[in-house]
Amino acid sequence: MPETSVDFPYPVAALLPQSHTMVLLDRVVEVGDEHIVVEVTVRDDGLFSLPDRTVPAWVGLEYMAQAIAAYSGYHRRCRGEEIGLGFLLGTRHYQCSAGGFPCGARLRVRAEKIIEAANEMSVFGCTIDGEHVHADSKLNVLLPKDAKTFLAGKGI
């Protein structure tokens, strides 16, 4: 179950559109106008964990994406808006120093907004740091103000 930071006004699950076991983040450490820092304890609950008690390095992209979702959710809450869906459009140059994250490891994920375009698209530079592990990437995301209207316009 995700932790709540004493200094942070919202539990991380209250900032994300995901629910239950899909909430992979534990807590928000720091948030600002252009960045967020969150913590993750790599879980061994079978959702992504392998028999060798690691989680594949590619799951780091989901940790990064959820950090961006928490950033968006926090700023939406501050404006009195509901949490909305965001869309991961792609990533560039994902690199990880390890093939996986050991279960039980504590990771710190940082997402920093690099570009915010008028068409609701943004680019975030993201890093993951933990003992003997470092990953980084740039994620392209779409954070529509109204996801229902956006999806309806696409016939979904």
Side-chain angles (χ1 to χ4, degrees):
M1 180 58 88
E3 301 171 2
T4 303
S5 172
V6 175
D7 301 321
F8 195 75
Y10 306 109
V12 71
L15 304 175
L16 299 174
Q18 291 89 339
S19 60
H20 308 294
T21 59
M22 280 309 298
V23 174
L24 302 181
L25 308 180
D26 293 328
R27 69 185 190 101
V28 174
V29 175
E30 174 185 321
V31 66
D33 291 342
E34 303 293 321
H35 78 283
I36 190 165
V37 178
V38 299
E39 285 185 340
V40 175
T41 300
V42 180
R43 298 192 325 225
D44 188 15
D45 61 4
L47 188 59
F48 295 109
S49 59
L50 300 173
D52 68 354
R53 297 203 68 242
T54 64
V55 168
W58 58 262
V59 176
L61 289 170
E62 180 63 18
Y63 295 152
M64 292 173 175
Q66 285 195 20
I68 295 167
Y71 167 87
S72 175
Y74 172 76
H75 288 284
R76 284 176 181 259
R77 283 205 169 241
C78 288
R79 294 189 303 266
E81 300 170 2
E82 290 189 30
I83 303 304
L85 292 176
F87 303 94
L88 175 61
L89 302 176
T91 182
R92 289 181 276 168
H93 309 293
Y94 179 72
Q95 296 181 13
C96 187
S97 64
F101 306 113
C103 291
R106 193 82 161 157
L107 305 176
R108 192 164 274 216
V109 183
R110 179 180 179 89
E112 185 155 358
K113 190 186 322 174
I114 298 171
I115 298 168
E116 181 176 18
N119 62 358
E120 300 178 325
M121 291 177 60
S122 296
V123 177
F124 282 80
C126 300
T127 59
I128 300 174
D129 287 295
E131 190 172 340
H132 307 295
V133 66
H134 174 79
D136 61 71
S137 188
K138 290 186 175 46
L139 273 63
N140 303 322
V141 297
L142 178 68
L143 301 170
K145 293 190 188 327
D146 184 349
K148 290 180 185 175
T149 302
F150 172 78
L151 291 172
K154 306 295 181 216
I156 300 173

